[in-house]
Amino acid sequence: QSALTQPASVSGSPGQSITISCTGTSSDVGSYNYVSWYQQHPGKAPKLMIYDVTNRPSGVSNRFSGSKSGNTASLTISGLQAEDEADYYCSSYTSSSPLVFGGGTKLTVL
Amino acid sequence: QVQLQESGPGLVKPSDTLSLTCAVSDYSISSSNWWGWIRQPPGKGLEWIGSIYYSGSIYYNPSLKSRVTMSVDTSKNQFSLKLSSVTAVDTAVYYCARTGDSSGYYFDYWGQGTLVTVSS
């Protein structure tokens, strides 16, 4: 069971938009609309930000959006704020597991 | 507001069995949700361990399946994890979580996590 591939780090300035990618295969991201995204601040539990590729839970800012193209899912954060600085993880259903996480991406707000 | 709280020993000896319990408050564990365990080694990423439904249906991570046992106790509104033959690589923060719906593919409520260290 291989983890989904995410960039180790991304950065952006306040007010900008950034996108974090999550690359899988036709056995997971490419074939199922069960991609979710989590935000994790240091020492805290992960927080669900996006589920089923594009859905935002109640209470999550609309600055966060999700999408998918082929085997790659993406999380976009618009109007970047200092509080968005955190680690972000994607997760997907996979036909062999059924759940797998990405390796995580550290977002730095410059 | 659903609340989850992990409990169990913070220190486990190599080759022993790690045992954790997740107590669920303000929500029935017998509702249409799956309940999962996820772990995170210090400084590393998240790893899904397994998920269980109140009826007893279970999915395990294939890489851990031979060592993992999960169970649910509806009378106490809690579920448990056992991981056998632990080694130092099993040192991690262990989280319990609830899935957002009956599909079981995303977690909307998480416990605060508990650090388990494997050391003699």
Side-chain angles (χ1 to χ4, degrees):
Chain A
Q1 178 199 22
S2 300
L4 305 173
T5 301
Q6 298 181 234
S9 63
V10 299
S11 62
S13 300
Q16 288 185 330
S17 293
I18 64 96
T19 297
I20 299 173
S21 62
C22 171
T23 302
T25 69
S26 58
S27 296
D28 39 63
V29 175
S31 293
Y32 305 98
N33 291 322
Y34 292 128
V35 177
S36 54
W37 289 91
Y38 301 88
Q39 176 192 66
Q40 186 180 36
H41 286 110
K44 300 295 186 181
K47 175 186 176 183
L48 179 68
M49 305 304 284
I50 297 288
Y51 67 96
D52 294 350
V53 180
T54 61
N55 295 324
R56 227 178 8 256
S58 174
V60 171
S61 171
N62 59 10
R63 297 186 299 106
F64 292 83
S65 62
S67 62
K68 189 183 83 168
S69 178
N71 294 338
T72 299
S74 299
L75 172 70
T76 298
I77 309 174
S78 59
L80 208 56
Q81 299 178 0
E83 66 205 50
D84 299 332
E85 184 163 296
D87 293 327
Y88 290 84
Y89 294 91
C90 63
S91 176
S92 175
Y93 171 84
T94 166
S95 57
S96 61
S97 182
L99 271 179
V100 64
F101 281 98
T105 298
K106 181 177 180 59
L107 169 62
T108 300
V109 180
L110 302 171
Chain B
Q1 181 82 346
V2 183
Q3 295 186 64
L4 298 95
Q5 179 67 58
E6 306 89 350
S7 62
L11 181 64
V12 180
K13 289 182 168 53
S15 79
D16 282 358
T17 295
L18 177 160
S19 296
L20 295 174
T21 297
C22 181
V24 180
S25 304
D26 300 321
Y27 193 83
S28 173
I29 202 169
S30 300
S31 299
S32 299
N33 305 82
W34 288 73
W35 304 89
W37 289 98
I38 302 96
R39 70 180 183 179
Q40 185 173 36
K44 296 188 178 182
L46 301 171
E47 180 180 31
W48 174 71
I49 299 171
S51 296
I52 187 167
Y53 199 66
Y54 76 92
S55 62
S57 296
I58 300 174
Y59 289 109
Y60 292 139
N61 184 326
S63 66
L64 298 169
K65 187 175 182 178
S66 63
R67 299 194 291 130
V68 174
T69 302
M70 293 177 62
S71 61
V72 62
D73 187 336
T74 55
S75 67
K76 295 183 178 179
N77 217 45
Q78 64 186 34
F79 61 106
S80 300
L81 169 71
K82 291 186 185 299
L83 181 65
S84 64
S85 305
V86 297
T87 68
V89 299
D90 295 310
T91 293
V93 174
Y94 285 76
Y95 295 99
C96 61
R98 187 196 82 164
T99 68
D101 58 27
S102 58
S103 72
Y105 304 141
Y106 64 91
F107 297 101
D108 60 350
Y109 286 94
W110 295 63
Q112 65 184 24
T114 186
L115 175 63
V116 178
T117 301
V118 178
S119 176
S120 55

